[in-house]
Coordinates of all heavy atoms in Angstrom, one line a residue:
M1 N 130.3 21.5 158.3 CA 130.5 22.8 157.9 C 130.3 23.0 156.4 O 129.9 24.1 156.0 CB 132.0 23.2 158.1 CG 132.4 23.4 159.6 SD 131.5 24.7 160.4 CE 132.2 26.1 159.6
R5 N 128.2 26.1 154.9 CA 128.7 27.0 154.0 C 127.9 27.2 152.8 O 127.8 28.3 152.2 CB 130.2 26.7 153.7 CG 131.2 27.1 154.8 CD 132.6 27.0 154.3 NE 133.0 25.7 153.8 CZ 133.6 24.8 154.5 NH1 133.9 25.1 155.8 NH2 133.9 23.6 153.9
V15 N 119.2 31.0 144.0 CA 118.7 30.0 143.2 C 117.5 29.3 143.9 O 116.4 29.0 143.4 CB 119.8 28.9 142.8 CG1 119.1 27.7 142.2 CG2 120.7 29.6 141.9
A27 N 108.6 34.4 135.5 CA 108.5 35.0 134.2 C 108.9 36.5 134.3 O 109.7 37.1 133.4 CB 107.1 34.9 133.6
L29 N 110.8 37.8 136.6 CA 112.4 37.9 136.9 C 113.2 37.6 135.6 O 114.2 38.2 135.3 CB 112.7 36.8 137.9 CG 112.2 37.1 139.3 CD1 112.5 36.0 140.3 CD2 112.8 38.4 139.9
L41 N 124.7 44.9 127.4 CA 125.3 44.8 126.1 C 125.3 46.1 125.3 O 126.3 46.3 124.6 CB 124.5 43.8 125.2 CG 124.6 42.3 125.7 CD1 123.6 41.4 124.9 CD2 126.0 41.8 125.5
V45 N 129.2 46.5 124.3 CA 129.5 46.2 122.9 C 129.2 47.5 122.1 O 128.0 47.9 121.9 CB 128.6 45.1 122.4 CG1 129.0 44.7 121.0 CG2 128.8 43.9 123.4
D49 N 126.7 45.2 115.5 CA 126.7 44.1 114.5 C 127.6 43.0 114.9 O 127.4 41.8 114.5 CB 127.4 44.7 113.2 CG 126.3 45.5 112.4 OD1 125.1 45.2 112.5 OD2 126.7 46.4 111.5
A60 N 128.0 27.9 115.1 CA 129.0 27.0 114.5 C 129.6 26.2 115.6 O 129.9 25.0 115.5 CB 130.0 27.8 113.8
G62 N 128.2 25.3 118.4 CA 127.2 24.3 118.9 C 127.2 23.2 118.0 O 127.1 22.0 118.4
K69 N 130.4 14.8 119.2 CA 129.6 13.7 119.8 C 129.5 12.6 118.8 O 129.6 11.4 119.1 CB 128.2 14.3 120.1 CG 127.1 13.2 120.3 CD 125.7 13.8 120.4 CE 124.7 12.7 120.4 NZ 124.6 11.8 121.5
A88 N 119.0 23.2 107.8 CA 119.7 23.3 106.5 C 118.8 24.0 105.5 O 119.3 24.7 104.6 CB 119.9 21.8 106.0
L128 N 125.1 6.6 111.1 CA 124.6 6.3 112.5 C 123.1 6.1 112.6 O 122.5 6.3 113.6 CB 125.0 7.4 113.4 CG 126.5 7.8 113.5 CD1 126.8 9.1 114.3 CD2 127.3 6.6 114.0
L136 N 110.8 8.7 118.2 CA 110.7 9.8 119.2 C 110.8 11.2 118.4 O 110.4 12.2 118.9 CB 111.7 9.8 120.2 CG 111.7 8.4 121.1 CD1 112.8 8.5 122.2 CD2 110.3 8.3 121.8
N138 N 109.0 12.7 116.3 CA 107.8 12.5 115.6 C 107.0 13.8 115.4 O 105.8 13.8 115.2 CB 106.9 11.6 116.5 CG 106.8 12.0 117.9 OD1 107.2 13.2 118.3 ND2 106.3 11.2 118.8
L139 N 107.6 15.0 115.3 CA 107.0 16.2 114.9 C 107.1 16.4 113.5 O 108.1 16.6 112.9 CB 107.6 17.4 115.6 CG 106.9 18.8 115.4 CD1 105.5 18.8 116.0 CD2 107.7 20.0 115.9
V145 N 106.8 23.9 108.4 CA 107.2 24.4 107.0 C 105.9 25.2 106.4 O 106.1 26.2 105.9 CB 107.7 23.4 106.1 CG1 107.8 23.9 104.7 CG2 109.0 22.8 106.6
V153 N 104.1 34.4 102.5 CA 103.4 34.9 101.3 C 102.6 36.1 101.8 O 102.5 37.1 101.0 CB 102.4 33.8 100.8 CG1 101.5 34.3 99.7 CG2 103.3 32.7 100.2
I155 N 103.1 38.1 104.7 CA 103.9 39.1 105.3 C 105.3 38.9 105.0 O 105.9 38.0 105.3 CB 103.7 39.1 106.9 CG1 102.2 39.2 107.2 CG2 104.5 40.3 107.5 CD1 102.0 39.1 108.7
L204 N 122.2 27.1 121.1 CA 121.1 27.7 120.2 C 120.4 28.8 121.0 O 120.0 29.9 120.5 CB 120.1 26.7 119.8 CG 120.6 25.6 118.8 CD1 119.5 24.7 118.4 CD2 121.2 26.3 117.6
V206 N 121.6 30.7 123.4 CA 122.5 31.9 123.5 C 122.5 32.6 122.1 O 122.5 33.8 122.0 CB 123.9 31.4 123.9 CG1 124.9 32.6 123.8 CG2 124.0 30.8 125.2
C212 N 118.5 38.3 118.9 CA 117.4 39.1 119.3 C 117.9 40.5 119.9 O 117.4 41.6 119.6 CB 116.5 38.4 120.4 SG 115.1 39.3 120.8
I244 N 111.9 37.1 119.0 CA 111.5 37.0 120.4 C 110.9 35.6 120.6 O 111.0 35.0 121.7 CB 110.5 38.2 120.7 CG1 111.3 39.5 120.7 CG2 109.9 37.9 122.1 CD1 110.3 40.7 120.8
T247 N 113.5 33.0 121.0 CA 114.2 33.2 122.2 C 113.4 32.7 123.4 O 114.0 31.9 124.3 CB 114.4 34.7 122.5 OG1 115.2 35.3 121.4 CG2 115.2 34.9 123.8
L250 N 113.3 28.8 123.6 CA 114.5 28.2 124.1 C 114.8 28.6 125.6 O 115.7 28.0 126.2 CB 115.7 28.5 123.3 CG 115.8 27.8 121.9 CD1 116.8 28.5 120.9 CD2 116.1 26.3 122.1
F253 N 114.3 25.9 128.4 CA 115.3 24.9 128.4 C 116.6 25.4 129.0 O 117.2 24.9 129.8 CB 115.6 24.4 127.0 CG 116.8 23.5 126.9 CD1 116.7 22.2 127.3 CD2 118.0 24.0 126.5 CE1 117.9 21.4 127.3 CE2 119.2 23.2 126.6 CZ 119.1 21.9 126.9

Side-chain angles (χ1 to χ4, degrees):
M1 291 298 291
R5 282 198 298 267
V15 170
L29 292 174
L41 290 173
V45 181
D49 278 338
K69 165 189 168 64
L128 304 173
L136 300 180
N138 55 11
L139 181 67
V145 172
V153 172
I155 304 175
L204 292 183
V206 175
C212 187
I244 294 172
T247 301
L250 289 164
F253 170 82

